[in-house]
Amino acid sequence: MRYEEAIEKLNSADKEELSAKLKKLENRSELSKEDINSLFAETVEMIFSASKEIKYEEIYRVVRNGGKPFENYEETLCEEAPLFGEDYIRFCHDPIIPFVEGKIREGETVSLMTYRKAVEENISALLMEGFPEESNVFDILEKDGFTAAGKENYLLIADFIKGELIKDEKDEAFIRKIKDMLEGEESCAALCYSHDGADYLAVRKDVIDIYYCCTSIILCRLDWMENRGEMVEVTPISHSKGFAVPGKKIDYDEFGEVGTFTFEMDDYR
């Protein structure tokens, strides 16, 4: 939807009616596909897309890969639960949340991967959940005729989208429907959203090595996790030598008797 049209629709929408429709869409399990599409068009499709530059110096992910080390870079381009589709890989801005989000069990062996920013240019990411209520952007939007009522309606839709993104049991097909609507005709290089202090970034597989270089792959065993990720302790098994780059075999050093690694969420807040 065009920006000007979106503002007009948000300004004129009845807040109570919009809220009721979003509630129906939230509890859509008993609705027909036609009813879902109709409600989607009358609610979510009113929101306009927005993006921001991502400035993380490092991003992280955890991959199961059958408890074995990756042999080459191409093998690393996998995603166990592709929330935004097969073309995207999801990262976090800390190395702890991926253990929580991936529901890694104690005693399980996984690969903890670190990616460091490779270029000065910042990647632009689509804001899946829209602008937060306190964003200064709303002051600018007022100059384009965005009213207080329009802002309230915008935030209702944004909260609905955020709710879909943070559900324990995510409806991946529905989230992709939201993504496709926000993207429009061209695929975005990246998507982003946040929850409970954690920032998530999903980057297209075909551009990730342009913006971020995989500097480290640690094959490790999760020993324990405290209070849903406030602290994570792992035992390292092997570590990649140098950077993991397209077209090259990944070699590893054995850690030997080095003890455990502990990651604390306080260090990344």
Side-chain angles (χ1 to χ4, degrees):
M1 183 178 294
R2 292 187 299 107
Y3 172 69
E4 296 82 1
E5 184 182 355
I7 286 182
E8 183 179 344
K9 284 183 174 292
L10 287 166
N11 286 346
S12 60
D14 181 270
K15 180 182 177 181
E16 298 303 321
E17 184 178 330
L18 175 61
S19 181
K21 288 180 178 179
L22 287 171
K23 193 68 177 177
K24 286 182 181 179
L25 199 55
E26 180 182 355
N27 303 301
R28 58 188 174 275
S29 59
E30 301 300 322
L31 297 178
S32 67
K33 183 177 180 179
E34 291 73 19
D35 286 340
I36 291 173
N37 288 339
S38 177
L39 285 168
F40 190 88
E42 296 169 6
T43 57
V44 180
E45 285 189 6
M46 282 199 293
I47 202 169
F48 51 85
S49 59
S51 61
K52 73 172 183 177
E53 288 190 350
I54 300 298
K55 301 179 181 179
Y56 310 135
E57 289 298 321
E58 286 188 339
I59 52 179
Y60 307 86
R61 60 193 295 248
V62 166
V63 186
R64 283 186 168 88
N65 196 40
K68 299 177 181 179
F70 291 110
E71 293 186 2
N72 55 65
Y73 177 84
E74 285 68 27
E75 283 187 358
T76 69
L77 300 177
C78 61
E79 186 83 334
E80 183 179 348
L83 186 61
F84 300 110
E86 297 291 342
D87 293 337
Y88 290 86
I89 300 177
R90 197 156 46 128
F91 301 86
C92 291
H93 81 300
D94 68 70
I96 299 173
I97 291 300
F99 284 94
V100 179
E101 188 76 9
K103 299 179 181 178
I104 308 302
R105 301 181 299 273
E106 291 184 3
E108 192 171 358
T109 299
V110 297
S111 290
L112 170 61
M113 308 177 67
T114 301
Y115 295 70
R116 188 160 186 83
K117 194 176 175 192
V119 292
E120 290 187 9
E121 179 186 358
N122 295 321
I123 193 169
S124 179
L126 183 74
L127 287 165
M128 285 294 297
E129 59 187 350
F131 296 113
E133 183 175 3
E134 65 277 8
S135 173
N136 293 331
V137 171
F138 290 113
D139 295 331
I140 300 172
L141 293 175
E142 284 185 15
K143 298 176 182 178
D144 292 334
F146 202 42
T147 65
K151 178 181 177 180
E152 288 183 354
N153 289 330
Y154 176 96
L155 292 173
L156 277 176
I157 299 171
D159 286 345
F160 168 80
I161 294 174
K162 184 171 184 177
E164 294 295 318
L165 290 167
I166 66 177
K167 283 180 178 177
D168 287 336
E169 299 298 327
K170 299 177 178 62
D171 185 345
E172 294 173 4
F174 190 76
I175 289 173
R176 289 171 201 165
K177 182 179 178 69
I178 297 172
K179 174 192 76 72
D180 292 343
M181 183 276 297
L182 290 172
E183 275 188 321
E185 296 181 359
E186 287 191 28
S187 295
C188 296
L191 318 164
C192 66
Y193 68 99
S194 61
H195 171 54
D196 199 22
D199 293 331
Y200 297 86
L201 175 68
V203 184
R204 278 208 334 259
K205 292 179 180 180
D206 61 337
V207 300
I208 180 60
D209 63 311
I210 297 174
Y211 293 95
Y212 286 91
C213 182
C214 182
T215 58
S216 168
I217 305 176
I218 300 175
L219 188 68
C220 59
R221 182 183 67 247
L222 176 61
D223 292 330
W224 58 269
M225 184 186 302
E226 178 182 289
N227 191 25
R228 190 172 165 78
E230 285 298 311
M231 186 179 295
V232 166
E233 182 180 274
V234 302
T235 294
I237 299 169
S238 60
H239 186 278
S240 59
K241 294 180 180 179
F243 295 177
V245 295
K248 289 191 177 181
K249 184 177 182 293
I250 301 173
D251 293 320
Y252 293 85
D253 281 323
E254 299 301 318
F255 267 105
E257 298 297 326
V258 298
T260 60
F261 289 173
T262 301
F263 303 104
E264 298 187 39
M265 187 61 79
D266 285 343
D267 293 335
Y268 298 93
R269 286 197 173 101

